[in-house]
Amino acid sequence: ERQTERTELQQAIDNKNTLCEQFEALAQTSEEEWSTVNTRQQALYEAFQAIRNLPKSVHIKLESRWQNAEKALQKRGQQVAKL
């Protein structure tokens, strides 16, 4: 049972890391596809927030990673808006 809990926890952490990777990749979206970013961002955010009950240290690390990706995405959005 403990092994199952660890496996489920690791899977949740892996899933949240994958969502971070996908979110970080949004900043690479081309100008032509930029109109799809908001929808994709919202879907990733909802999936990211749905994963709960992680150890505090892991949660903080992943939240920080998400926030950094958000800043990069905002910066990219400003660049696209200038085009």
Side-chain angles (χ1 to χ4, degrees), residues 19-28 34 37-38 40-42 44-46 48-49 62-78:
L19 290 167
C20 283
E21 290 169 10
Q22 292 172 355
F23 191 56
E24 290 163 345
L26 284 182
Q28 307 305 316
W34 192 256
V37 167
N38 280 341
R40 291 163 44 203
Q41 178 181 4
Q42 186 62 35
L44 289 170
Y45 178 76
E46 288 172 9
F48 186 81
Q49 293 295 20
L62 290 170
E63 285 290 330
S64 176
R65 182 176 178 187
W66 185 271
Q67 289 170 0
N68 288 336
E70 216 164 26
K71 289 175 189 171
L73 188 61
Q74 288 173 350
K75 185 176 180 181
R76 175 71 174 135
Q78 292 169 351

Side-chain angles (χ1 to χ4, degrees), residues 9 13 17 54-63:
L9 177 61
I13 292 169
N17 269 310
L54 298 181
K56 188 173 184 176
S57 62
V58 173
H59 172 78
I60 291 169
K61 181 179 155 194
L62 290 170
E63 285 290 330

